Amino acid sequence: MYKLNKILLAVSMFIFVARLGAITTPFTTYEGYSLPGHTDKIATVTCSVDYSKIATASSDNTVKVWDSSNGNCLFTLHGHTGSVTDVKFSPDGTYIASSSSDNTVKLWNSTSGALVRTWSGHSNTVNAIAWNSASTYVVSVACDNYGKIWSISSDTAASTLSGHTNIVKCVDWSGDYIVTGSKDNTVKMWDVTSISGTKTATRSWTSHSNIVTTTKFSPSGSYIASGSADNFVYIWRYDSGSWEASYYSKLSGHTGSITSVAWDKDSLQIVTGSKDNTAKIWTVASGTVTSSTDLEGHSSSVIDVAWGFDDSYIYTASRDNDARIWNTSGTSLFTMVGHTGAVNSIVLLDTTVVTGSSDNSAKIWDHDTGTCMYTLGSYNGYLQSAAWMGDYNGNLDGFIATCTGGTRATAWSWNNTTASATFVSEATYSTGYIQTMTSDPANYYFCTGNSEGVIGGFQVDESSVVNEESSLSTDHDDKIYKSKWLSSSLFSTISLDGDVNVFTASLGDNSASLSLAKTLQHTEIPWSVAREGNTDKTVVGYANGEIKVWDSSWDVVGTYTPHTDWVTSITAQSTLGYFATASRDNNAKVFTAADPSTILKTLSGHSDTVTKVMWTNNENEVVTISKDNTARIWDYTAVSPCVHVLSGHTGEIIAAEISNDGALLATGGSDETVIIWGLDDGLIDYKLQGFNGSVMAIAWSPDNSYIVVITDDNEITVWNVSTGECVDMLL
């Protein structure tokens, strides 16, 4: 009865629109919404000075900005081509600065998310950034051994900090002084009363005997705490108009590297976190340590620490996947349990606590109870992929399979007569989260790629998941973020290790194996791949706008640059021997496999990133999907190639699939709507509304009568496209 009520509710919320050329129905939208969450670990979290916004920096190359009052994503900052290492709001709240392994620092408008400037000057990964109090300058430190100071009104560095002889790990700014810590074991002080030219350090403190991991000014600006892999913390003091040449106090007691330090508001106490699994509270007076309190309870390294605003509480984040709230007596009051990866960062947000984790999510916690109030884009819990296969031995009308981004993939059998699905079974993996799932319809075989770089797989029959393989391949060294069948016998995966692996697949009723045919190695970040069956050429697209082409013997044919930015999608048309590419430069391109250097047509018209390109059954037409909330149909042989602009969504289109007969296009996205379009005229056939989350995936039934829709609130529904009815709800 519960399931029936859910179906009736979904049907009652459905809005039917027949063959409309324009939309007047109001929508629920999320401005700037890109994805429900990060797709890689969160390195750090920070909040605006008024606590209204949270920013998260991730290894997925993006920064996401969230509304702290409800956990909604306000916008995603795209532009970095490497992991984002640090993010900071300006003290006046106007800007956001971010640093990255792509060697750049970027400046963003904190209200609109618009990119203001890109600062290029470092020659290696930028590790950390800090603002001056006037919000007019940003300092950055990098693996190139230098620090650089940037003015918000200029594209070039205003000053360079020169003197470190190894990687600069950390930086802080207070008043007229900047402090840096380095892998050369030194802490350096820089006088920035005037900002110009190349600066040398005012002080260079050499007491540490190992990497300096963290440096922090006290709120008064009169003290600095530095922590090191030598297990010690040193306190440095400003007195009588200058910074003293030797340390003011040495804090001994940790038995592991110091990971983080934080001052109380009165500059009298600090809390330290360490790889010895503990945190410690230290009271410093008259140059000596008068007391210390141990915070013991974590089972792995304490990565980050913070004080409560009234200095009555301490907050710790740990590699044991937990965060804790402590009183100053060392008693653990609450353990904040919920992350499934290391908690890398913790900050105070007025009366709540925010954590960022290697499980790709951030969470907002209630300080008084230690319970989770919001999860900011927990990627591991979102249904990301769906496939629908045809009949099985003439007995069934096919199978639907979905993966959750967690550790399981689920299969249902489908019956056209009753228009209903029956749960078959689940394939569950003990380690790693499933990131991708693709199907080989000829063998009813589903391949999965997970966060540990492992490829698994399973088949289905009438009543169960069979032939389950948890480890078909372990050839990747990092997370698999894309997978694709290049042909009936070639399966490809793209990983954060920088490789594209192509496997020869051998699939049968009772067996499955993948044999590594070729590792396509790269110096740029690979993002898309396709193979054209007429010439057997394989094309890989990269973050810098390049493509590389391999022949059937896996020899490189050449490297070409059809785009000026990220190649987001590639598709092949084997009858003609053509490829089409899509890019973040807002364009799509069509070229031949025989001569990739010659562009047959540039498809221009979108005002934002083209995220996907697909061939229609008309070999002269392609469909593009864009972040400008539209899709377009193009005839690349025409002088004016844009045939139809499909405008109807009020948010970003995330999922888009063409029906198997090539007649219809289904699109869905952040406006919680699915639209069915006729590809012959570009008009709306049907509109499905009433979903409770962004539409993340769509799959067509083999006979084109139904679609399965997956949303980020973990609902899976099946719709009859000829009647506009929700006929079944799987989850």
Side-chain angles (χ1 to χ4, degrees):
M1 186 65 183
Y2 169 71
K3 182 176 179 180
L4 177 61
N5 287 340
K6 289 188 76 178
I7 295 172
L8 292 174
L9 177 62
V11 172
S12 69
M13 291 188 294
F14 167 75
I15 297 176
F16 175 83
V17 182
R19 311 301 291 177
L20 293 179
I23 300 298
T24 58
T25 306
F27 297 87
T28 300
T29 63
Y30 293 96
E31 183 181 357
Y33 198 100
S34 176
L35 282 175
H38 287 292
T39 58
D40 207 341
K41 69 179 181 181
I42 294 174
T44 187
V45 297
T46 189
C47 63
S48 59
V49 68
D50 64 356
Y51 313 126
S52 65
K53 297 185 182 76
I54 299 165
T56 52
S58 170
S59 293
D60 66 6
N61 306 350
T62 71
V63 173
K64 287 183 180 287
V65 180
W66 313 82
D67 185 332
S68 64
S69 67
N70 55 27
N72 284 343
C73 183
L74 298 174
F75 41 79
T76 301
L77 307 182
H78 295 280
H80 284 297
T81 57
S83 299
V84 184
T85 56
D86 200 6
V87 62
K88 295 286 194 308
F89 284 93
S90 62
D92 67 3
T94 303
Y95 299 106
I96 298 169
S98 59
S99 60
S100 170
S101 63
D102 65 7
N103 310 347
T104 70
V105 180
K106 290 182 182 290
L107 183 69
W108 314 83
N109 183 297
S110 67
T111 301
S112 66
L115 179 63
V116 179
R117 296 189 190 282
T118 296
W119 290 314
S120 302
H122 287 291
S123 59
N124 210 326
T125 295
V126 184
N127 292 316
I129 52 178
W131 283 90
N132 72 334
S133 60
S135 302
T136 52
Y137 290 97
V138 176
V139 61
S140 57
V141 294
C143 290
D144 60 7
N145 306 351
Y146 292 103
K148 290 186 179 291
I149 302 176
W150 312 90
S151 168
I152 63 170
S153 60
S154 174
D155 290 331
T156 58
S159 185
T160 297
L161 310 181
S162 178
H164 283 295
T165 58
N166 209 326
I167 293 169
V168 190
K169 296 282 291 182
C170 48
V171 64
D172 200 12
W173 193 332
S174 177
D176 293 330
Y177 296 98
I178 291 172
V179 63
T180 55
S182 169
K183 200 173 179 180
D184 64 10
N185 305 349
T186 69
V187 178
K188 292 186 184 293
M189 170 62 60
W190 314 81
D191 187 331
V192 288
T193 305
S194 64
I195 299 176
S196 63
T198 300
K199 290 190 172 294
T200 57
T202 304
R203 289 285 186 198
S204 184
W205 293 307
T206 59
S207 297
H208 285 295
S209 60
N210 209 326
I211 300 169
V212 180
T213 55
T214 180
T215 53
K216 284 288 189 294
F217 279 101
S218 65
S220 67
S222 299
Y223 299 96
I224 296 166
S226 61
S228 167
D230 64 8
N231 306 349
F232 297 119
V233 176
Y234 286 97
I235 308 297
W236 315 91
R237 185 175 69 161
Y238 183 86
D239 189 49
S240 302
S242 66
W243 288 93
E244 295 175 340
S246 60
Y247 64 82
Y248 177 68
S249 186
K250 179 180 180 179
L251 311 185
S252 305
H254 281 295
T255 58
S257 297
I258 308 300
T259 57
S260 53
V261 298
W263 287 90
D264 73 345
K265 68 178 186 299
D266 295 323
S267 305
L268 297 176
Q269 291 181 300
I270 65 170
V271 60
T272 56
S274 171
K275 287 186 177 180
D276 65 8
N277 305 352
T278 72
K280 292 180 182 293
I281 305 170
W282 312 80
T283 300
V284 181
S286 303
T288 60
V289 179
T290 58
S291 65
S292 66
T293 302
D294 294 340
L295 310 182
E296 297 178 336
H298 285 294
S299 60
S300 190
S301 299
V302 177
I303 302 174
D304 198 15
V305 294
W307 282 90
F309 293 117
D310 60 1
D311 292 342
S312 298
Y313 302 96
I314 305 292
Y315 306 89
T316 57
S318 173
R319 199 175 299 279
D320 64 8
N321 303 352
D322 293 339
R324 287 178 180 247
I325 302 175
W326 312 76
N327 63 23
T328 53
S329 299
T331 302
S332 179
L333 303 177
F334 301 108
T335 299
M336 292 174 275
V337 178
H339 283 297
T340 57
V343 185
N344 300 316
S345 183
I346 189 165
V347 296
L348 276 298
L349 183 72
D350 200 7
T351 59
T352 57
V353 185
V354 185
T355 55
S357 170
S358 291
D359 67 6
N360 310 347
S361 76
K363 292 178 182 289
I364 302 177
W365 308 82
D366 186 324
H367 168 274
D368 295 326
T369 62
T371 56
C372 183
M373 299 167 61
Y374 303 105
T375 296
L376 310 184
S378 178
Y379 179 74
N380 296 331
Y382 285 99
L383 298 160
Q384 295 291 320
S385 183
W388 198 325
M389 292 186 178
D391 63 358
Y392 179 85
N393 294 335
N395 298 324
L396 295 169
D397 296 312
F399 292 98
I400 300 169
T402 61
C403 77
T404 65
T407 60
R408 61 189 179 131
T410 308
W412 290 265
S413 62
W414 179 254
N415 187 308
N416 271 343
T417 303
T418 61
S420 63
T422 302
F423 173 76
V424 174
S425 189
E426 293 178 343
T428 303
Y429 302 94
S430 58
T431 60
Y433 294 104
I434 298 173
Q435 303 292 308
T436 68
M437 183 183 70
T438 47
S439 59
D440 170 38
N443 292 283
Y444 300 92
Y445 202 85
F446 298 87
C447 279
T448 59
N450 79 2
S451 58
E452 304 298 324
V454 178
I455 300 172
F458 63 95
Q459 282 177 305
V460 288
D461 63 15
E462 288 97 331
S463 59
S464 64
V465 168
V466 296
N467 196 14
E468 186 174 347
E469 297 285 348
S470 61
S471 183
L472 288 170
S473 166
T474 58
D475 292 284
H476 283 298
D477 297 324
D478 207 336
K479 176 186 294 185
I480 296 169
Y481 58 88
K482 286 202 172 184
S483 62
K484 186 175 186 177
W485 286 91
L486 302 179
S487 69
S488 59
S489 60
L490 289 176
F491 178 69
S492 68
T493 51
I494 305 178
S495 168
L496 288 179
D497 63 14
D499 291 341
V500 177
N501 282 347
V502 181
F503 300 88
T504 301
S506 177
L507 304 175
D509 288 340
N510 298 302
S511 64
S513 65
L514 295 178
S515 175
L516 184 63
K518 185 69 175 179
T519 294
L520 310 180
Q521 294 180 320
H522 319 277
T523 57
E524 298 295 332
I525 301 171
W527 193 250
S528 49
V529 61
R531 185 174 178 88
E532 188 276 306
N534 192 25
T535 62
D536 285 337
K537 287 183 177 176
T538 300
V539 176
V540 176
Y542 301 96
N544 65 350
E546 290 182 348
I547 59 171
K548 187 178 287 188
V549 182
W550 283 263
D551 63 19
S552 58
S553 300
W554 303 114
D555 294 323
V556 176
V557 174
T559 301
Y560 312 94
T561 311
H563 294 285
T564 60
D565 206 338
W566 213 295
V567 180
T568 56
S569 176
I570 304 176
T571 187
Q573 215 290 341
S574 293
T575 303
L576 298 175
Y578 287 179
F579 286 99
T581 56
S583 171
R584 203 162 64 187
D585 65 10
N586 305 350
N587 297 319
K589 307 269 186 176
V590 179
F591 57 92
T592 68
D595 182 16
S597 64
T598 301
I599 302 299
L600 297 179
K601 184 70 72 172
T602 297
L603 309 179
S604 300
H606 285 295
S607 60
D608 206 338
T609 299
V610 183
T611 56
K612 189 172 185 177
V613 59
M614 300 173 282
W615 292 94
T616 70
N617 282 6
N618 181 340
E619 61 188 26
N620 293 333
E621 288 187 348
V622 296
V623 173
T624 55
I625 308 299
S626 171
K627 286 188 176 181
D628 65 9
N629 306 347
T630 72
R632 290 179 180 241
I633 303 171
W634 311 81
D635 181 346
Y636 68 87
T637 65
V639 175
S640 299
C642 186
V643 178
H644 299 292
V645 177
L646 311 184
S647 299
H649 285 287
T650 60
E652 182 182 336
I653 300 174
I654 298 172
E657 297 295 338
I658 295 175
S659 61
N660 299 297
D661 61 5
L664 300 172
L665 170 70
T667 58
S670 64
D671 61 3
E672 304 180 2
T673 300
V674 172
I675 299 178
I676 311 296
W677 311 82
L679 287 178
D680 57 343
D681 55 15
L683 296 179
I684 294 175
D685 275 10
Y686 314 108
K687 177 180 288 186
L688 314 178
Q689 288 183 290
F691 300 102
N692 296 315
S694 296
V695 176
M696 303 305 299
I698 297 170
W700 286 89
S701 66
D703 65 358
N704 310 298
S705 298
Y706 303 93
I707 59 170
V708 59
V709 179
I710 297 176
T711 57
D712 65 11
D713 66 345
N714 291 358
E715 284 192 351
I716 308 173
T717 51
V718 181
W719 301 76
N720 184 318
V721 296
S722 64
T723 65
E725 292 179 307
C726 178
V727 296
D728 205 353
M729 183 169 286
L730 310 186
L731 282 179

